[in-house]
Amino acid sequence: MPRKVVQGPIRDKEKTKQKLLAAVGKILRTKGYSGLKVSKIAAVAGFDKKLIYEYFGSTEKLIDEYIRSQDYWSRMNQDNIQVDISDGGKELSKVAILNQFEHIKKNKELQKIILWGLSENKPILKKVADDREEMGEVLFKNVVDPHFGDQSMRYRAIAALLVSGAYYLNLYTAYNAQMFCGIDLKSEDGRREIEKAIAEIIDFAYESK
């Protein structure tokens, strides 16, 4: 008779880790970041809190891993998007920022994380922001800066406005009104107008180099 395989948190480490990460997301959605306490995370996941320390080392490292799994720019790096960069990064800029605009709209947990980063000074959030900046710097130095030369800072400023605008418009319409400058950002037509404007601004920046 074959021996019965016992299933449990110790034998199924990856599944347990995913449940703990999912618990962080659920608490963020329902209670906000103030609810991210070790005992609460463990209770929502249905495990003893000692597993958080065993599998992640600390509550902070668990939350850090969750944030990175949701952060758009961290995920873009992991997804390894294949785009021709022979145009100096124009198409890559469009794909990255347009995808960001859509990703933030759909990801309610990421919206909470962004708000958390704006309202509190936390080392865990600063580290993610610093890593995001480092990743962006690699893109600028290796692709965009060589194309723009002495005008590279001008394009960096344009990119900063587009990226921050994608964040703000999604947060504004998620938590306040749906109209911005007379555009209904909760409608497909309204969002399409913003997407067209992003693409046109990037085209203009590259054409007027």
Side-chain angles (χ1 to χ4, degrees):
M1 182 177 179
R3 189 185 346 180
K4 182 179 179 181
V5 178
V6 179
Q7 294 296 326
I10 303 301
R11 288 186 175 274
D12 203 348
K13 178 178 178 179
E14 193 55 40
K15 186 179 289 186
T16 302
K17 288 179 68 175
Q18 291 306 313
K19 286 185 177 180
L20 287 166
L21 288 164
V24 173
K26 184 174 182 179
I27 293 168
L28 267 176
R29 284 194 308 274
T30 57
K31 303 292 184 182
Y33 40 82
S34 62
L36 292 175
K37 311 296 184 186
V38 62
S39 56
K40 183 66 176 176
I41 296 170
V44 170
F47 298 122
D48 191 300
K49 64 183 180 181
K50 69 181 181 182
L51 290 177
I52 293 175
Y53 301 105
E54 182 175 343
Y55 292 159
F56 295 94
S58 67
T59 312
E60 288 73 21
K61 289 181 180 178
L62 165 61
I63 297 171
D64 178 69
E65 186 166 328
Y66 178 79
I67 290 172
R68 290 177 190 281
S69 74
Q70 302 301 310
D71 181 67
Y72 170 73
W73 294 101
S74 297
R75 287 178 62 88
M76 191 188 82
N77 189 37
Q78 295 168 2
D79 293 343
N80 193 25
I81 295 174
Q82 299 296 317
V83 177
D84 182 9
I85 58 173
S86 61
D87 59 2
K90 180 170 75 170
E91 188 61 27
L92 179 59
S93 295
K94 289 181 184 179
V95 170
I97 298 173
L98 290 172
N99 285 351
Q100 176 207 7
F101 184 58
E102 187 63 18
H103 182 76
I104 298 169
K105 174 200 172 188
K106 293 178 177 178
N107 194 316
K108 302 303 180 184
E109 292 87 350
L110 179 56
Q111 292 173 13
K112 295 279 189 180
I113 292 167
I114 296 167
L115 290 172
W116 187 11
L118 293 172
S119 60
E120 287 195 35
N121 180 16
K122 293 283 187 182
I124 188 173
L125 295 168
K126 185 179 185 303
K127 181 65 166 62
V128 173
D130 289 346
D131 290 348
R132 187 189 302 137
E133 190 66 19
E134 285 180 15
M135 188 185 74
E137 190 63 21
V138 171
L139 170 62
F140 280 122
K141 282 190 172 181
N142 292 288
V143 180
V144 176
D145 289 355
H147 179 81
F148 281 93
D150 59 6
Q151 296 184 48
S152 61
M153 280 299 166
R154 171 177 164 271
Y155 183 72
R156 285 177 179 236
I158 291 170
L161 289 172
L162 293 176
V163 169
S164 60
Y167 281 126
Y168 181 78
L169 289 175
N170 277 296
L171 294 176
Y172 182 82
T173 53
Y175 290 93
N176 290 291
Q178 68 185 59
M179 304 297 292
F180 197 93
C181 289
I183 301 173
D184 182 355
L185 290 177
K186 290 190 176 180
S187 72
E188 288 302 316
D189 287 344
R191 293 187 67 84
R192 197 173 299 114
E193 288 301 320
I194 298 297
E195 292 167 356
K196 285 163 55 179
I198 290 171
E200 287 172 6
I201 291 169
I202 293 171
D203 282 338
F204 174 79
Y206 274 82
E207 290 164 5
S208 61
K209 174 178 82 76

